[in-house]
Amino acid sequence: MANRLRYGQVTGVAKPISILVQGTVYFNESNADEAFALFDAVFAQGCNTFDTAHVYGNGACERVLGRWIASRGIRDQVVILDKGAHPYNGRQRVTPEAITADIADSLERLGVDFIDLYVLHRDDESQPVEPIVDVLNQQHRAGRIGAFGGSNWSYERVQAANRYAEAHGLVPFAVSSPQFSLPEMVKPAWEGCISLGGAGNQAARRWYASAGIALFTWSSLAGGFMTGKYRRDNLNTPGDYFDGVTIRAYAYEDNFRRLDRAQTLAADKGISLPQLGLAFVLSQPLPIFALVGARTPDEFADNLPALDIQLTPAEMAWLNLETDTLT
């Protein structure tokens, strides 16, 4: 049926995983009712996969998500994507000890005994990959996590981790979660963030195309840049913290040129600007699951038509400023 969610599979996860993954970063105890209403609505629309993190709201986001899952009795139907080992007070924490502690915290906050997809929220390239792969395998064997991988890890580090896993008969990284959108992340949205977009990451995209690793790309609409909210003439009046992040990371002339072209193509196709932005991500020749940060049921529903839009290579090249001719 048109505009219904599609699903994919990830090695190590028995459940189907919705191609769109709903984020939880905006929700805590103060707006739990709003969160429950949104989660109910997106679940009814077919989204069974939810993204959260140990660091979000100092654990509040995990608690709210866990309470919703328990109250609806749907743990066997929901896929939890959780993240840990984020830096804290300037201290790097990609260590076996911090990973183990964060998984224990997250399980308790969520009120579950198993996390379907677990990724390390940041990398610390001063740390060797071997003990990191070892501890993730220990947690996997203990039944605490299913498939695992890295968020904001370079493809070279993922490659190194999987070479070690293969050489020692261990479970490799099955997922990676970089930023990816039509607008290029010119400056990191937050320290330590890694993007798959832009001309400088062509080698990474080629590697992922053949590596068999699922990509859970975050900020698929570039922090709202692809909504058209941010213009060349209103950048000096950010409304909140997240506005400031978006402006710092994406508000550059080449991205406004991409936005101009996206508006033209969206109008030609009779779709919205966000739908075109999401279609650009999902039309890539890559195994992508797109993380979205809908704040209302209508916002999530507006994403669904993008699943039926397949942009051509020529359209994607034109949108990405690789050619001046759209043929």
Side-chain angles (χ1 to χ4, degrees), residues 23 26 63 69 100 139 170 184 202-203 276 285 288 322:
Y26 302 117
R63 293 188 184 97
I69 292 171
T100 300
Q139 295 293 313
L170 298 172
E184 182 178 355
Q202 289 179 349
L276 184 77
I288 286 180
E322 296 168 18

Side-chain angles (χ1 to χ4, degrees), residues 98-112:
I99 293 167
T100 300
D102 282 7
I103 290 174
D105 284 347
S106 293
L107 290 170
E108 181 178 5
R109 293 167 177 174
L110 288 162
V112 301

Side-chain angles (χ1 to χ4, degrees), residues 107-290:
L107 290 170
E108 181 178 5
R109 293 167 177 174
L110 288 162
V112 301
D113 58 9
F114 174 77
I115 297 168
D116 305 88
L117 291 162
Y118 193 79
V119 296
L120 304 178
H121 210 160
R122 291 289 191 275
D123 192 12
D124 176 4
E125 295 193 1
S126 71
Q127 297 295 318
V129 296
E130 292 83 357
I132 298 169
V133 174
D134 287 341
V135 72
L136 289 169
N137 270 261
Q138 290 167 9
Q139 295 293 313
H140 176 76
R141 287 193 299 269
R144 299 185 187 101
I145 61 174
F148 54 80
S151 176
N152 299 298
W153 277 50
S154 70
Y155 83 94
E156 294 96 339
R157 285 276 285 179
V158 174
Q159 189 177 49
N162 282 2
R163 284 173 176 164
Y164 171 73
E166 181 180 3
H168 293 82
L170 298 172
V171 176
F173 280 25
V175 299
S176 180
S177 184
Q179 189 278 337
F180 185 61
S181 59
L182 171 59
E184 182 178 355
M185 188 174 70
V186 176
K187 293 184 179 178
W190 295 277
E191 185 177 357
C193 288
I194 294 289
S195 178
L196 201 57
N201 289 307
Q202 289 179 349
R205 295 194 295 274
R206 285 195 297 268
W207 185 78
Y208 278 118
S210 61
I213 293 175
L215 290 163
F216 286 78
T217 57
W218 57 270
S219 203
S220 303
L221 297 180
F225 190 85
M226 280 302 299
T227 67
K229 172 183 177 181
Y230 304 94
R231 307 185 309 272
R232 292 174 177 88
D233 62 357
N234 72 351
L235 301 181
N236 293 324
T237 56
D240 62 18
Y241 167 78
F242 289 104
D243 286 333
V245 171
T246 298
I247 290 169
R248 179 178 68 249
Y250 304 105
Y252 299 89
E253 181 55 30
D254 275 354
N255 284 335
F256 281 113
R257 291 177 60 208
R258 292 181 174 99
L259 191 64
D260 292 340
R261 292 188 177 191
Q263 289 172 324
T264 298
L265 189 57
D268 183 62
K269 291 179 176 292
I271 60 177
S272 71
L273 190 55
Q275 287 165 357
L276 184 77
L278 191 55
F280 176 84
V281 172
L282 296 176
S283 295
Q284 301 295 319
L286 294 165
I288 286 180
F289 299 79

Side-chain angles (χ1 to χ4, degrees), residues 45-128:
Q45 293 175 54
C47 177
N48 73 333
T49 308
F50 294 83
D51 166 72
T52 191
H54 182 272
V55 74
Y56 290 170
N58 292 320
C61 299
E62 290 175 317
R63 293 188 184 97
V64 169
L65 177 62
R67 283 172 45 207
W68 173 73
I69 292 171
S71 68
R72 295 342 187 221
I74 54 173
R75 179 65 189 98
D76 61 335
Q77 301 174 56
V78 169
V79 175
I80 299 172
L81 168 61
D82 208 343
K83 304 184 289 292
H86 192 282
Y88 182 72
N89 287 341
R91 178 170 54 89
Q92 295 295 323
R93 300 178 60 255
V94 188
T95 65
E97 296 77 17
I99 293 167
T100 300
D102 282 7
I103 290 174
D105 284 347
S106 293
L107 290 170
E108 181 178 5
R109 293 167 177 174
L110 288 162
V112 301
D113 58 9
F114 174 77
I115 297 168
D116 305 88
L117 291 162
Y118 193 79
V119 296
L120 304 178
H121 210 160
R122 291 289 191 275
D123 192 12
D124 176 4
E125 295 193 1
S126 71
Q127 297 295 318

